[in-house]
């Protein structure tokens, strides 16, 4: 939910940070080798930036853009890069669903629902004893979903708190995610 961009020209060096989360975000961004930031002056937005050795520490308001003009250098041989991290913004909740499997027949447990366009998708899963668990990051809201067992068997979650009729005469599980 946070995107950072550098614009480096000989006469202008800008750091642009976007926070598209509905929550205030606190994070650090490591400064890569080949990039030098000595000072930063805010030119737009309400974010807060603190320079520490080889990191930028940021506090970003919800749904915001902040721009800093910075002093420093970029090694011209440094290539462009994109990094994605497993960090979730605070408006996501890690939800754990589970399916009892006393016979050990489940080798793959996927989720499909209105949160992923009803595409059977692998999320982080693990087996503990006779139960398979799967974790998914979701924002607050109400979702319909099914468990997809071993890549082909679409079933309603027997542990769901509610169900709705699906367009094919079966049932979709309903999951309500709320802010704590």
């Amino acid at each position: 939910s946070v995107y950072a961009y550098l614009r480096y020209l000989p006469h202008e060096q800008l750091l642009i940070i976007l926070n598209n989360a509905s929550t205030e975000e606190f994070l650090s961004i490591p400064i890569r080798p080949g990039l030098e930031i000595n000072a930063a002056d805010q030119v737009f937005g309400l974010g807060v930036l603190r320079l520490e050795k080889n990191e930028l520490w940021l506090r970003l308001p919800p749904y915001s853009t902040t721009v800093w003009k910075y002093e420093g250098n970029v090694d011209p041989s440094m290539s462009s890069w994109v990094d994605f991290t497993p960090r979730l913004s605070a408006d996501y909740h890690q939800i754990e669903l589970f399916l009892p499997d006393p016979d050990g027949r489940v080798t793959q447990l996927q989720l499909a629902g209105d949160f992923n366009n009803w595409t059977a998708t692998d999320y982080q899963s693990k087996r503990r004893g006779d139960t398979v668990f799967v974790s998914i990051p979701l924002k607050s809201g109400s979702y319909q979903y099914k468990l997809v067992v071993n890549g082909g068997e679409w079933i309603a979650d027997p542990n769901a708190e509610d169900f709705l009729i699906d367009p094919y005469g079966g049932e979709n599980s309903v999951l309500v995610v709320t802010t704590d």
Side-chain angles (χ1 to χ4, degrees):
S1 296
V2 176
Y3 302 89
Y5 305 89
L6 286 177
R7 178 185 166 103
Y8 181 81
L9 299 169
H11 62 283
E12 178 181 62
Q13 292 131 226
L14 298 175
L15 170 63
I16 302 128
I17 308 241
L18 308 168
N19 175 17
N20 71 353
S22 64
T23 54
E24 183 175 52
E25 295 297 316
F26 298 87
L27 70 146
S28 68
I29 299 175
I31 299 174
R32 290 184 158 235
L35 174 62
E36 178 184 300
I37 297 178
N38 301 319
D41 294 315
Q42 192 167 22
V43 294
F44 178 81
L46 300 174
V48 176
L49 177 140
R50 189 177 80 220
L51 288 167
E52 294 281 333
K53 295 185 184 176
N54 294 319
E55 288 184 298
L56 301 173
W57 288 85
L58 299 157
R59 185 182 80 211
L60 305 166
Y63 300 123
S64 67
T65 300
T66 308
V67 179
W68 289 271
K69 185 173 186 175
Y70 71 91
E71 296 174 19
N73 295 303
V74 175
D75 183 340
S77 65
M78 189 170 134
S79 63
S80 299
W81 81 90
V82 175
D83 280 339
F84 295 98
T85 67
R87 178 191 172 279
L88 293 177
S89 66
D91 56 350
Y92 279 89
H93 308 276
Q94 197 69 31
I95 305 300
E96 188 171 67
L97 303 171
F98 65 95
L99 180 65
D101 182 33
D103 301 328
R105 68 177 190 85
V106 177
T107 59
Q108 180 184 34
L109 184 60
Q110 298 173 302
L111 296 175
D114 52 12
F115 48 81
N116 66 5
N117 203 25
W118 291 98
T119 303
T121 303
D122 287 312
Y123 293 94
Q124 182 181 358
S125 65
K126 59 186 156 200
R127 176 179 288 279
R128 291 193 301 257
D130 65 353
T131 305
V132 180
F133 294 84
V134 63
S135 293
I136 181 171
L138 293 171
K139 290 184 176 184
S140 294
S142 180
Y143 301 94
Q144 292 186 44
Y145 70 100
K146 288 196 184 222
L147 303 174
V148 183
V149 178
N150 298 334
E153 182 184 357
W154 291 52
I155 63 170
D157 183 348
N159 304 299
E161 292 186 20
D162 202 5
F163 301 90
L164 292 173
I165 301 299
D166 72 18
Y168 308 102
E171 289 183 322
N172 288 335
S173 306
V174 177
L175 174 64
V176 177
V177 178
T178 58
T179 302
D180 298 323

